[in-house]
Amino acid sequence: MNCKKLISFCFLVFTTICSYADDGYRLWLKYDLIKDAGKREAYARSAQFIAVSGNSPVLKAASDELKNGLQGLLGKSVPVLANAGNRTGGIILAVTNTGLPTLNAEGYQIKSQSNNIVISGKTESAVLYGAFALLRQLQTLQPMANLALTSSPKVRYRMLNHWDNPNATIERGYAGESLWKWYELPERLDPRYRDYARANASLGINATVVNNVNASSRFLTTEYLHKVAALAGVFRQYGIRVYLSIYFPAPKTIGGLKTADPLDPEVRKWWADKTKEIYSLIPDFGGFLVKANSEGEPGPQDYGRNHADGANMLAEALKPYDGIVLWRAFVYKADPKADRFKAALEEFGDLDGKFDKKVIVQVKNGPIDFQPREPFSPLFGKMPKTPLAVEFQITQEYLGFATHMVYEAPLFKECLESDTYAKGKGTTVAKVVDGSAFGYELTAMAGVANTGSDRNWTGHPMAQANWYAFGRLAWDHTLSSEAIANEWVTMTLTTEPKAVKPITDMMLKSRDIYVNYNTPMGLSRPWTGVHFAPEPWQNRSPRPDWTAVYYHRADSVGIGFDRTAKGSDALSQYAPAVQQQWNNPETCPLPYLLWFHHVAWTKKLSTGRSLWDELCTHFYTGADSVIWMQKQWNQVKNEIDPETYTNVAARLQTQHKEAIWWRDAWVLYLQEYARQPIPASYKKPDRTLDDVKKLVDVYLMR
Ligand code: BDP
């Protein structure tokens, strides 16, 4: 064997090993060799060099990524030049203001021009996003000739919120420990930080809040700020700015003051000084995220002040800098007579217009708490003078942790496409959030991260798709769930169309399947605890809204929470056109029915079935559909990396087992109230309610 042959043989062996030992670390940035040699050659003709003028860290990141990506995809080394000169057939990266009238600061253009492909944008980050977009074209086997792609992000702050604690645990994290190794920082920089930043930049995510909203004041100490600064140093190269969640009473806990009253001059000075210190260490610091007067976290109300007083104090401290405040609207009180659904608007509605220009109010997608299906939060559309960000949860707190496969893009889209009717038909949540409805100057979308120290980042290999989908939608909320799934599968799992299709199908249906066996027809289960298996019987807790019965309200007559004028009247928080679509139990869409109505077990529904039979149908078809998912997955066995295949197959087995358990938990419990048989077409659970209760107890045991 001559030397050339030996090299190509080794290369083949190497790529084969790589593609058959996939631990998921590379996420969607795999850059495996494109199998079709013809396609590879065609691509290679347009990628003979990369030209980049300037040597800034961000542009270097862009050209490194292209070089590395092309090396993998095309199997050849592509030189990086300082300028293209007269050469053609290459890729040129250019930061420019000319010829890009429709792009915003971070938007990119990819254009075939004089036999080159020019990736341009007005900022270095824009060019970096363009480089990733071009790689995505190749990874998804799209043509590379006659390119004319332009894309601008629709919101300005596209953020991940990490709920990571100083002791490396992650609140609601299901993929290991925190990615941030606080005890090693700032001296040692885990190489993983860079790969994290690459993955985010590939989606256009430009902001990361590195610590839990239930924040420790430790992060504001000088010692920890140095650690955070070290992370910021890595992320900066990828256009990502670092933010911190703050503990509102920090002036007391670490500042030695007697109060944290936001109107106290000394407190205000403390924050101004602290902010100055932060910017001296992190010049591009992004700002503060705040959970205050929420679930026991202290806040301005402890001093008789309101949310705007608290947020504006921080905004004042940030005034000299390019930083913002994200103030969360996740608030609710332990009032037995109140409806938690209404709490956020009750507390924030009157404050519209009272927040400083640097403040964004961050609102969870639904009024309760990241349930598998919720109506959109009534705040959207009700605060025209206050920029509202939407907060989604990527980590699967209520979606089966890391064992249930739930592709979340349809959940995100359902909220984004909901019509608030705030300015007439078509005022969707997306238009509120992207600023087009009310002209918000600041726009943001946040996702509670699902990453952790597991080698594959997200525990469940398919959960990577949720990180991916969040990022893609934060960039462009008009993308379809299907298009995003297709991209992700092709980049991550297989380029084989006959496998891409069944996997995409399964992903698209997975959220409805989960809702069916977990919380169908408008049920919810946000009570306190581990948030894993349903415990609909749970009725004891220090506060009523931390019980299960508070939410489902099952009794001998029926089930569901009456939120009409006869009940809590939460519906009146929506625009009249929205109320109209949900107000009447006869016409309220079934997926939302029990969110708004207490319905009799015997009530005949539009499906022709009684409520009880309909609920059973949902629970049973939901659990049975997991078998369908397993079959879909089996079909693609030969097209998927064996390690990933086995991993997902095993998790689907667990999912099926738990789906039956969760179905049984609900059905057996509700049957005690409904006093009706399980429809004859379904097999009765082969356990008793007590058996299921014990099963849950095991999970709660110390
Ligand atoms: C709930 C979580 C809790 C979070 C809280 C929040 O159970 O751990 O701290 O949301 O968003 O869903 O603040």
Side-chain angles (χ1 to χ4, degrees):
M1 202 185 288
N2 68 27
C3 189
K4 222 170 156 187
K5 274 196 182 145
L6 184 67
I7 290 172
S8 58
F9 175 74
C10 291
F11 183 69
L12 194 74
V13 171
F14 175 72
T15 49
T16 311
I17 290 170
C18 284
S19 57
Y20 283 96
D22 195 346
D23 59 14
Y25 181 82
R26 293 173 301 157
L27 295 159
W28 47 88
L29 302 176
K30 292 220 156 73
Y31 307 140
D32 284 339
L33 190 71
I34 292 169
K35 287 196 194 119
D36 177 341
K39 204 148 211 153
R40 235 165 38 220
E41 274 159 33
Y43 286 154
R45 279 196 291 278
S46 311
Q48 295 169 40
F49 62 88
I50 300 160
V52 54
S53 59
N55 200 14
S56 81
V58 178
L59 288 180
K60 173 139 182 15
S63 61
D64 280 357
E65 193 70 31
L66 274 173
K67 186 172 170 52
N68 177 31
L70 293 170
Q71 167 81 59
L73 290 161
L74 308 180
K76 75 180 215 129
S77 173
V78 180
V80 178
L81 315 173
N83 75 62
N86 292 330
R87 296 183 61 171
T88 57
I91 300 165
I92 300 174
L93 305 182
V95 180
T96 172
N97 259 319
T98 41
L100 306 169
T102 58
L103 296 185
N104 63 27
E106 293 174 291
Y108 60 81
Q109 181 181 70
I110 305 176
K111 199 164 176 199
S112 304
Q113 224 169 287
S114 320
N115 277 327
N116 284 314
I117 294 173
V118 181
I119 303 178
S120 52
K122 293 174 186 163
T123 58
E124 293 174 349
S125 299
V127 171
L128 174 67
Y129 299 142
F132 277 110
L134 182 67
L135 284 166
R136 186 160 61 234
Q137 285 284 111
L138 269 69
Q139 290 173 281
T140 53
L141 308 175
Q142 303 300 307
M144 225 168 126
N146 303 320
L147 289 174
L149 304 171
T150 54
S151 185
S152 284
K154 290 199 169 15
V155 303
R156 179 158 156 203
Y157 302 99
R158 304 174 296 278
M159 341 183 61
L160 284 187
N161 290 183
H162 290 272
W163 286 357
D164 294 17
N165 298 314
N167 67 359
T169 58
I170 304 179
E171 178 141 354
R172 314 303 177 184
Y174 311 105
E177 297 201 320
S178 175
L179 290 172
W180 328 129
K181 298 185 172 157
W182 297 115
Y183 292 100
E184 298 175 1
L185 286 162
E187 286 80 14
R188 180 178 177 266
L189 295 171
D190 190 323
R192 202 162 181 168
Y193 303 151
R194 183 169 164 270
D195 289 327
Y196 163 85
R198 287 175 52 236
N200 281 326
S202 77
L203 306 172
I205 288 172
N206 62 1
T208 182
V209 185
V210 292
N211 63 319
N212 192 355
V213 286
N214 299 315
S216 157
S217 9
R218 200 189 292 187
F219 288 100
L220 291 176
T221 61
T222 304
E223 193 192 346
Y224 266 71
L225 289 176
H226 280 282
K227 297 172 189 282
V228 176
L231 286 179
V234 179
F235 301 162
R236 185 170 298 126
Q237 196 181 346
Y238 290 89
I240 298 168
R241 295 170 66 178
V242 161
Y243 296 64
L244 283 174
S245 296
I246 57 142
Y247 184 54
F248 197 78
K252 282 165 68 183
T253 52
I254 57 169
L257 300 187
K258 294 215 162 50
T259 175
D261 180 350
L263 299 192
D264 183 284
E266 272 194 79
V267 172
R268 295 178 91 88
K269 179 164 181 325
W270 187 87
W271 280 111
D273 291 346
K274 186 46 79 180
T275 307
K276 189 169 174 200
E277 182 190 357
I278 296 175
Y279 277 90
S280 73
L281 296 171
I282 313 170
D284 57 352
F285 179 66
F288 301 124
L289 173 65
V290 195
K291 172 174 178 178
N293 294 123
S294 159
E295 297 189 327
E297 291 296 323
Q301 291 172 352
D302 305 353
Y303 306 94
R305 317 297 181 193
N306 63 34
H307 292 290
D309 295 328
N312 294 349
M313 169 192 67
L314 296 169
E316 182 184 86
L318 286 163
K319 200 167 207 140
Y321 316 101
D322 178 26
I324 56 167
V325 180
L326 293 130
W327 191 272
R328 296 176 85 228
F330 178 62
V331 292
Y332 60 103
K333 299 254 152 54
D335 176 356
K337 287 203 211 78
D339 177 1
R340 173 173 170 181
F341 194 111
K342 294 162 73 176
L345 190 61
E346 282 170 351
E347 276 191 42
F348 280 80
D350 290 341
L351 298 176
D352 190 28
K354 306 239 163 71
F355 289 94
D356 185 277
K357 283 217 308 276
K358 274 176 168 290
V359 179
I360 299 180
V361 170
Q362 185 165 307
V363 183
K364 288 191 183 183
N365 58 293
I368 302 290
D369 189 7
F370 298 138
Q371 295 305 288
R373 170 168 277 128
E374 280 193 57
F376 68 92
S377 163
L379 254 76
F380 295 113
K382 283 288 165 79
M383 300 200 57
K385 295 190 216 125
T386 311
L388 299 184
V390 63
E391 176 181 316
F392 291 116
Q393 196 179 41
I394 310 171
T395 189
Q396 293 177 233
E397 176 180 358
Y398 293 98
L399 292 172
F401 296 5
T403 39
H404 292 234
M405 181 198 294
V406 181
Y407 173 54
E408 294 170 339
L411 186 163
F412 303 155
K413 291 281 291 183
E414 192 169 289
C415 170
L416 291 165
E417 285 173 356
S418 294
D419 200 341
T420 69
Y421 286 88
K423 286 179 83 184
K425 193 169 167 47
T427 319
T428 57
V429 171
K431 287 189 180 159
V432 172
V433 170
D434 74 12
S436 56
F438 299 118
Y440 294 160
E441 270 173 39
L442 303 180
T443 55
M445 227 190 254
V448 180
N450 63 349
T451 49
S453 59
D454 279 6
R455 180 70 190 158
N456 73 358
W457 304 84
T458 57
H460 200 310
M462 302 298 284
Q464 292 181 358
N466 293 332
W467 178 7
Y468 186 87
F470 168 77
R472 295 288 283 137
L473 287 170
W475 180 276
D476 181 358
H477 55 71
T478 66
L479 294 171
S480 73
S481 301
E482 183 173 3
I484 297 171
N486 240 296
E487 268 176 25
W488 179 80
V489 173
T490 311
M491 291 162 81
T492 313
L493 296 177
T494 172
T495 50
E496 211 41 70
K498 67 172 189 292
V500 174
K501 175 89 175 71
I503 302 172
T504 308
D505 274 357
M506 161 166 83
M507 287 168 71
L508 289 172
K509 296 201 172 91
S510 60
R511 188 275 190 123
D512 274 331
I513 291 172
Y514 183 87
V515 169
N516 276 342
Y517 64 75
N518 191 272
T519 41
M521 300 182 72
L523 290 175
S524 58
R525 38 169 290 243
W527 50 93
T528 187
V530 287
H531 298 170
F532 176 55
E535 307 152 75
W537 49 85
Q538 194 254 344
N539 59 3
R540 261 177 297 171
S541 147
R543 42 191 287 185
D545 53 357
W546 286 355
T547 64
V549 294
Y550 172 92
Y551 294 95
H552 62 65
R553 310 210 157 194
D555 57 23
S556 59
V557 178
I559 183 170
F561 198 134
D562 184 354
R563 292 191 163 100
T564 66
K566 287 191 268 101
S568 79
D569 203 23
L571 260 168
S572 68
Q573 292 192 333
Y574 290 103
V578 180
Q579 292 181 36
Q580 218 173 35
Q581 95 207 349
W582 293 333
N583 223 342
N584 181 351
E586 303 296 329
T587 51
C588 179
L590 294 188
Y592 289 112
L593 186 64
L594 304 178
W595 270 111
F596 298 112
H597 302 281
H598 190 77
V599 182
W601 298 113
T602 51
K603 167 92 188 155
K604 266 258 166 359
L605 302 176
S606 53
T607 54
R609 286 186 277 264
S610 69
L611 174 69
W612 166 253
D613 284 358
E614 189 64 38
L615 276 169
C616 288
T617 306
H618 279 75
F619 284 121
Y620 272 85
T621 41
D624 290 347
S625 302
V626 182
I627 299 174
W628 171 81
M629 290 170 79
Q630 289 175 300
K631 285 189 186 141
Q632 293 285 105
W633 191 246
N634 282 347
Q635 267 183 52
V636 301
K637 184 169 183 175
N638 296 332
E639 314 301 338
I640 302 274
D641 164 79
E643 193 172 322
T644 310
Y645 175 81
T646 316
N647 189 340
V648 173
R651 285 173 205 262
L652 280 168
Q653 237 179 313
T654 310
Q655 180 171 352
H656 185 230
K657 187 178 70 188
E658 289 172 351
I660 294 173
W661 159 15
W662 299 357
R663 170 200 79 188
D664 288 355
W666 274 108
V667 168
L668 291 168
Y669 170 77
L670 296 180
Q671 200 174 25
E672 303 228 312
Y673 293 93
R675 305 206 162 278
Q676 303 218 19
I678 288 165
S681 46
Y682 301 121
K683 186 175 159 292
K684 279 202 216 90
D686 41 24
R687 53 186 148 199
T688 65
L689 182 57
D690 272 348
D691 294 338
V692 198
K693 284 187 181 170
K694 279 192 202 122
L695 207 47
V696 176
D697 288 347
V698 170
Y699 276 74
L700 297 175
M701 244 169 223
R702 292 194 57 195

